[in-house]
Amino acid sequence: MQQMLKQAQKMQQQIAAAQAELAEAELTGTAGGGLVTVTITGAGEVRSVKIDPKAVDPDDVETLEDLVVAAVHNANDAVRKLTEEKMGPVTGGMGGLGLPGF
């Protein structure tokens, strides 16, 4: 029983360390060949949006909006991949333990 408790505590510590790494990580997503770049944290917080002036066409705002959405999706994919990379070894492939944020 003691051994199981120690293993559970160790796993909790590993999860907390992985979560801290994710929260500090900054990832970027791009769209339009780099015309729009979005930087987000591993926790999903948008830190910045950069738009190349070439992407700004007052007569076609819809395309720019689509590029921003695509860049956010691309950045979120990077977060998902990093989360799987950091949490996979800790959770042993248990599907993120069914906890929010995993």
Side-chain angles (χ1 to χ4, degrees):
M1 185 70 157
Q2 283 287 50
Q3 184 67 16
M4 286 180 64
L5 287 174
K6 285 182 183 181
Q7 286 176 336
Q9 288 173 334
K10 183 178 180 183
M11 187 176 193
Q12 283 180 319
Q13 291 169 345
Q14 290 172 327
I15 289 171
Q19 285 177 319
E21 279 186 62
L22 287 169
E24 292 179 18
E26 286 193 354
L27 301 115
T28 59
T30 61
L35 290 175
V36 176
T37 302
V38 173
T39 302
I40 63 175
T41 67
E45 176 187 335
V46 176
R47 288 282 170 93
S48 70
V49 176
K50 303 229 187 275
I51 300 172
D52 187 307
K54 294 180 218 159
V56 181
D57 179 354
D59 296 324
D60 186 14
V61 175
E62 189 173 297
T63 296
L64 179 56
E65 293 168 342
D66 290 343
L67 288 172
V68 171
V69 169
V72 170
H73 284 292
N74 186 255
N76 280 325
D77 284 344
V79 168
R80 182 186 46 76
K81 288 175 187 171
L82 181 63
T83 300
E84 289 172 1
E85 178 185 310
K86 296 291 181 188
M87 297 305 293
V90 175
T91 61
M94 291 189 274
L97 300 176
L99 300 173
F102 292 105

